[in-house]
Amino acid sequence: MASNLRLVKSPRKKVGVLIGRFQPFHMIHGVHLTNATVDNDLTIVLVGSANQAPTIKNPFSFAQRKAMISNYANSASVVVLPIEDTGGNNTEWIYSVQTSVKAAVEAEFGDVEYDVTLYGSEKDKTSWYVNAFPQWQKKLMTPYPVGKELSATNLRNILFGQSTENVLKDISTEVPTTTLSWLSEWVKSPEYAARREDYAFIEEYKKTVHLHPRTEVTVDGVVIQSGHVLVVRRANQPGRGLIALPGGFVKTHQTLIEALLAEITEETGLLLAEGKKALDITKDMLRQRIRGYQYFDDPLRSLRGRTITHAFLVRLDDTKPLPIVSGQFAPPEDVGGRTDVVETFEAFWMPLSEALSNPSIWFEDHQLILKTLYAMIKE
C-alpha cells in the first residue's frame, strides 16, 4: 500500500550578520542589532580583534564586549562570536567569517538552507568588508545620526582623555543604557586607570616625537613587461628631470602595498582595465602580480634625509601590448587642493637594456633598486 506521507522541506532560515570591533558598543551598533533581530531567525554578531592585548584602541576584551552586546540584545536568537585579526590577509579573514557563520547556523538549526543579510554602515575605509561577501544580501544604513559623527574612536577619546568626573555624562547620549551601566562599573577598575595612563603617554609622545631624528618611509615599484621597465621623469626637486621608478611617501593611513599601488597609478596613469571600476581592477591586478620585495635603508641613500624605501617587483603579462602611460598631475589632496601641480613630466616604458646601462640618468639609487629586483626574476 502506497504511503500518503510526503517529505516537507523546512523553510529557509533568515540569518543576520553584524561585524565590528564594538570598542565600545554604541547607539549605531544598537540600531543595526535591533534591525537584525527583528528581520531574522538568528542574528550572529562577530566581534573583531577578539584576543588582542588591551590598548587604548582595543581596550575591551572579547568577553567584555560580548557582555555589552548580550546585555543590550537580551535575546536567545543572538549569538556573539570572536573573530581573530589576520594581519591584513583579507582572504583569510573573509574565510574565517564565512566558516563562523556556517558553524553558528548549524549549531542552532542543524543542516538547513539559509539566507544571510549583512547589516552595517558603509562610512569609510574601515567598512571595506561590507562588499566582501557578494553572496549575502546587505542592509546598510546611513551613518546615524545624520550630520554628526558618532564613532567608537571619539568615544574612546572621551573615556580616556577627559576628566573622570565627566566621562559618563559626556557619552551618555551616545551609548545604550546597558553599555553605560557596564561602563559605570568599569571606570572604577585598575584596568581603566591603566588605559588612561596609556592615553596620556601617547598624547604627550605625539607632541614631542618631532624632537627625534626624522625617518621617512617610501615605496618604489619596479614594474616590468616584455623587456621594459615602467619609469617616470620627475617634475619636481630634488632630481627634477631625472628618470625614476614610480613611487613616493607612505601616508599615515596606508599600508606599504596600498601606497605602492596608489603611487604607480597616480604617477603613470596606468590602467589595465576599462569602465567605472578600472582603477580598482588595475590595483588588484598589480597586487596579484607582485613577485619580489627588498628594502633599501642606507642612511645616506637620499639627500632629503633618512629615508627607507620598500621596493616591489611587479611582473605584468609579456603576451599583452605595453599599456599606455603618461605624465600626471599631482593628486589635489597631496598639494593643498591645487589641480595644476605637475608630478611627472612623462611616464614611459624604457627598454631594460637602456635602463640598466645608463646610471647617469637615474634619480638617487633607483637604478640600484632596479638592478636588485630585476635579479629576482626567475622565469
Side-chain angles (χ1 to χ4, degrees), residues 212-219 248-250 295-310 364-365:
H212 300 285
R214 183 170 181 173
T215 297
E216 300 285 4
V217 179
T218 60
V219 289
F249 292 97
V250 179
Y295 64 86
F296 294 81
D297 64 346
D298 184 336
L300 301 178
R301 64 173 296 272
S302 176
L303 293 175
R304 292 169 293 185
R306 181 76 161 120
T307 305
I308 300 174
T309 199
H310 301 263
E364 293 187 339
D365 61 349

Side-chain angles (χ1 to χ4, degrees), residues 16-20 22 25-40 42-45 69 72-73 78 117-123 127 129-130 138-145 150 176:
V17 173
L18 178 61
I19 305 173
F22 311 108
F25 185 84
H26 56 60
M27 285 293 196
I28 295 178
H29 300 142
V31 173
H32 292 318
L33 184 53
T34 297
N35 290 339
T37 54
V38 169
D39 297 342
N40 298 281
L42 175 68
T43 297
I44 303 168
V45 182
I69 297 166
Y72 178 86
V78 176
T117 301
L118 181 65
Y119 291 75
S121 297
E122 194 168 10
K123 57 179 182 176
S127 305
Y129 66 88
V130 300
K138 290 186 289 188
K139 190 169 183 179
L140 305 182
M141 186 182 73
T142 302
Y144 166 89
L150 171 54

Side-chain angles (χ1 to χ4, degrees), residues 212-229:
H212 300 285
R214 183 170 181 173
T215 297
E216 300 285 4
V217 179
T218 60
V219 289
D220 288 297
V222 179
V223 184
I224 292 178
Q225 178 179 333
S226 303
H228 291 71
V229 58

Side-chain angles (χ1 to χ4, degrees), residues 1 87 103 124 128 139 163 191 193 199 211 222 271 282 286 302 310 318 337 345 352 361 370:
M1 181 175 179
D124 56 28
W128 66 268
K139 190 169 183 179
S163 64
E191 187 179 2
Y199 185 90
L211 299 178
V222 179
L271 289 177
T282 296
L286 290 171
S302 176
H310 301 263
D318 290 339
F345 282 135
L352 282 165
I361 64 175
L370 170 61

